[in-house]
Amino acid sequence: MPQYTKVEEMMVRNVAYATLPGSRDEVLEILKNKHVSGVPVVKNNELMGIVTRTDLLKNPEEEQLAILMTRDPITISPEQSMVEASRIILNTGVRRLPVVIGNALVGIITLTDIIGAIANFNIMQPIQELMNGKTVVIWDMTPVSMVGMIMEMAEVKAAPVVNLAKEVQGVICDKDLINMSVIEDYTEHSDMSAGSDEDEWTWESMRDTMSLYYSVSRIRLPDSPVSEAIKLRGDPVIVVPSTTVSDAARKMKRNNINQISVLSANNKLKGMIYDFDLLKALV
């Protein structure tokens, strides 16, 4: 039973992590290669913070890991239960909990780990009772760069993609955005005056100016249509409102996704069911 399952039985012990001092590019490489959405940040094996792909997308021009990361992240001990971990995740909105003994990082438990456990239970509650009703729909010809802005403004990590016939083509998520992102280097130009506003003998037309050129690096999303980001996945994964919690969890686990489009009996989009929603069945 979930209330008796301890965190240490489920946590990942071989944790992918970033170290201080570090850079955005190093973190981006870890996220892409390890197929994770966030990693702890450590120094001398002690937990210093956590950095996620959302942090990278919200701060595309920042390169320093110490600035990008969230300090003093929410943690959990190995002896606490899966239900306690679920409650913390549901109440705080985080997707991962570093597991610590003292301040030493010994593992990590993620929302995906808990969904995998729910898939093995027999929770018969229908998902329609757990849907939160917040859905942002994206037209399949919308440029990916615009999708990133829409999702950030709407504060959603995933959105169903539909065509002009309002048929669901798939789902775009922040993981897709990170995988499609590129690091763009460019040069900024600035003119600085050698004069001072307090100098009454210095007129605007007479001031000497000094041109400065400095290098800037940022994460850039392509302008290609979002349909290109989802076309290689095959048919979209869908469920109906009467699908049970454990069945939905099994589909998420099998397809390695965090959300599923919910369609009515006549194939009309009803909304989305997220992995966060499924935690409500536990807590």
Side-chain angles (χ1 to χ4, degrees):
M1 294 296 291
Q3 62 265 34
Y4 301 118
T5 304
K6 290 185 177 182
V7 166
E8 65 181 351
E9 299 175 42
M10 303 178 56
M11 71 183 191
V12 175
R13 298 176 185 273
N14 186 19
V15 185
Y17 60 87
T19 57
L20 289 178
S23 70
R24 173 202 60 202
D25 294 3
E26 294 169 6
V27 173
L28 188 61
E29 194 71 18
I30 294 173
L31 298 188
K32 287 185 176 182
N33 291 341
K34 299 294 185 180
H35 306 290
V36 293
S37 59
V39 291
V41 181
V42 303
K43 185 176 183 180
N44 300 326
N45 201 43
E46 289 199 353
L47 182 68
M48 305 300 293
I50 199 160
V51 63
T52 70
R53 56 191 177 213
T54 300
D55 297 324
L56 302 187
L57 291 171
K58 282 187 174 181
N59 303 278
E61 295 185 0
E62 182 55 60
E63 297 184 57
Q64 298 182 60
L65 178 55
I67 296 176
L68 283 167
M69 74 179 190
T70 299
R71 296 178 182 271
D72 302 318
I74 300 166
T75 62
I76 197 167
S77 78
E79 294 300 312
Q80 289 178 264
S81 72
M82 184 183 73
V83 172
E84 290 176 297
S86 301
R87 184 177 291 110
I88 293 171
I89 289 173
L90 191 58
N91 290 340
T92 62
V94 299
R95 295 193 62 85
R96 61 200 57 77
L97 294 172
V99 184
V100 296
I101 297 177
N103 200 39
L105 180 69
V106 296
I108 194 167
I109 184 169
T110 69
L111 181 49
T112 300
D113 298 326
I114 298 175
I115 292 301
I118 292 175
N120 295 325
F121 300 145
N122 190 29
I123 302 176
M124 301 304 294
Q125 185 176 3
I127 60 171
Q128 63 185 346
E129 298 177 3
L130 305 176
M131 294 171 61
N132 64 25
K134 184 177 182 179
T135 303
V136 176
V137 181
I138 304 292
W139 177 41
D140 64 354
M141 295 308 294
T142 304
V144 172
S145 55
M146 291 296 295
V147 172
M149 184 185 74
I150 292 169
M151 289 172 59
E152 179 181 348
M153 297 292 290
E155 296 184 335
V156 297
K157 295 182 181 296
V161 178
V162 301
N163 59 18
L164 286 178
K166 302 179 182 178
E167 299 167 332
V168 176
Q169 304 299 296
V171 173
I172 184 77
C173 64
D174 55 356
K175 180 180 179 180
D176 299 316
L177 299 182
I178 281 292
N179 288 338
M180 298 181 71
S181 65
V182 296
I183 301 297
E184 180 182 71
D185 298 307
Y186 61 99
T187 302
E188 287 280 4
H189 169 251
S190 175
D191 287 329
M192 295 185 63
S193 171
S196 168
D197 288 337
E198 284 74 31
D199 185 353
E200 60 182 318
W201 300 104
T202 304
W203 300 331
E204 194 69 36
S205 61
M206 296 175 60
R207 287 181 179 174
D208 295 328
T209 59
M210 175 172 59
S211 293
L212 294 180
Y213 294 88
Y214 53 96
S215 177
V216 179
S217 175
R218 68 179 178 187
I219 294 177
R220 185 180 67 82
L221 293 172
D223 293 324
S224 54
V226 68
S227 57
E228 293 188 11
I230 62 174
K231 67 182 180 181
L232 299 178
R233 295 185 183 172
D235 294 333
V237 181
I238 60 172
V239 290
V240 296
S242 60
T243 300
T244 69
V245 167
S246 288
D247 281 342
R250 281 189 282 271
K251 282 200 170 189
M252 288 183 184
K253 180 181 179 181
R254 188 182 309 122
N255 293 279
N256 192 28
I257 55 179
N258 303 322
Q259 64 288 307
I260 306 177
S261 300
V262 182
L263 272 59
S264 66
N266 56 355
N267 289 326
K268 296 297 182 181
L269 181 65
K270 300 289 290 183
M272 297 279 287
I273 186 74
Y274 297 91
D275 45 12
F276 276 105
D277 297 328
L278 300 187
L279 294 189
K280 300 171 189 175
L282 291 181
V283 303

